[in-house]
Amino acid sequence: MLSGKSNYYFSETTVIHYKGESTVKDKKYLHSFQKAMELFYQKHFQVSVLFDIFMKAGAHLFSRTKKNKTALAARKVTTYILLSENENLRIKVENLLGKKVVMADSPTENSLNSLTKKEGENIEVIFDSNQLSFKLIIDYFERFRNKGFTFKILPQKSDFIIGSNSSNDRGEVIALKIDKA
């Protein structure tokens, strides 16, 4: 622990951690990543010259792979689904995005899955956390994460939507101006 700081575990909460999403993956980041891997290895494993060589080579190879990995072609969203009961929000998001936004106030697995049946359709789901708990939102993330969806969240009492569609790029913040009704 660092000088007088404490960590506490609270089992009744759920957290969304966008790992590395705010970090620019540049040379400095990759160097820090390599050093962190070396420290982790030294702290948790018995030092062996041969294993040390393999660990350093592995960390270096991973860093190179991450550095050289080109961002995938931007995924063009074809359908937006807003999970909310706020019609004014739907209109504002639709005007901002310039595309039709379908509102689903009571989403079910069947209704969301039926939308993915069309070939080549890319669906982005926007969760309104003013009406949905983060626990429920995270549950949807987990249930639909490998089914061709991307996700964004409107945090409570905010005027922006956040999310990330790739672990290789920074997260996205979409500014909104919402009339408080």
Side-chain angles (χ1 to χ4, degrees):
M1 285 283 151
L2 297 174
S3 62
K5 305 227 188 262
S6 299
N7 284 334
Y8 296 92
Y9 174 72
F10 182 62
S11 63
E12 300 196 16
T13 189
T14 306
V15 176
I16 299 172
H17 174 72
Y18 292 102
K19 181 180 181 280
E21 296 298 327
S22 62
T23 307
V24 176
K25 311 285 192 298
D26 60 4
K27 195 173 190 173
K28 183 179 176 183
Y29 163 81
L30 294 174
H31 178 73
S32 296
F33 175 81
Q34 276 185 299
K35 291 295 177 193
M37 290 301 294
E38 287 175 24
L39 287 171
F40 179 83
Y41 160 69
Q42 290 169 0
K43 180 178 179 181
H44 296 285
F45 297 97
Q46 186 177 16
V47 177
S48 154
V49 175
L50 183 59
F51 194 68
D52 190 40
I53 291 169
F54 282 118
M55 284 304 297
K56 285 184 179 182
H60 182 73
L61 181 63
F62 179 82
S63 293
R64 283 243 184 250
T65 302
K66 203 71 164 151
K67 179 182 174 189
N68 295 332
K69 193 173 195 175
T70 56
L72 298 172
R75 187 172 178 258
K76 186 174 180 177
V77 176
T78 56
T79 303
Y80 289 93
I81 301 173
L82 174 64
L83 301 184
S84 177
E85 295 175 0
N86 184 339
E87 176 63 18
N88 289 334
L89 175 61
R90 185 197 65 77
I91 292 167
K92 286 188 182 286
V93 171
E94 195 168 89
N95 289 336
L96 178 72
L97 298 174
K99 290 196 174 188
K100 182 174 173 39
V101 175
V102 177
M103 192 157 68
D105 59 359
S106 178
T108 63
E109 190 159 344
N110 286 339
S111 67
L112 290 177
N113 278 337
S114 69
L115 292 170
T116 63
K117 301 225 188 253
K118 299 174 187 166
E119 183 68 30
E121 187 161 39
N122 295 315
I123 299 171
E124 184 153 285
V125 180
I126 303 168
F127 297 93
D128 181 357
S129 72
N130 292 293
Q131 298 177 0
L132 301 168
S133 71
F134 277 110
K135 187 167 180 48
L136 181 64
I137 292 170
I138 291 169
D139 181 51
Y140 282 115
F141 278 17
E142 290 172 351
R143 284 197 292 165
F144 297 104
R145 69 177 167 189
N146 294 321
K147 297 187 178 181
F149 292 101
T150 55
F151 305 105
K152 299 282 189 287
I153 298 174
L154 171 71
Q156 289 182 0
K157 301 176 186 171
S158 68
D159 61 353
F160 57 88
I161 296 171
I162 60 171
S164 175
N165 297 345
S166 167
S167 62
N168 294 316
D169 297 320
R170 294 177 100 174
E172 184 178 18
V173 177
I174 303 169
L176 298 173
K177 292 294 179 205
I178 300 172
D179 296 328
K180 306 290 183 195

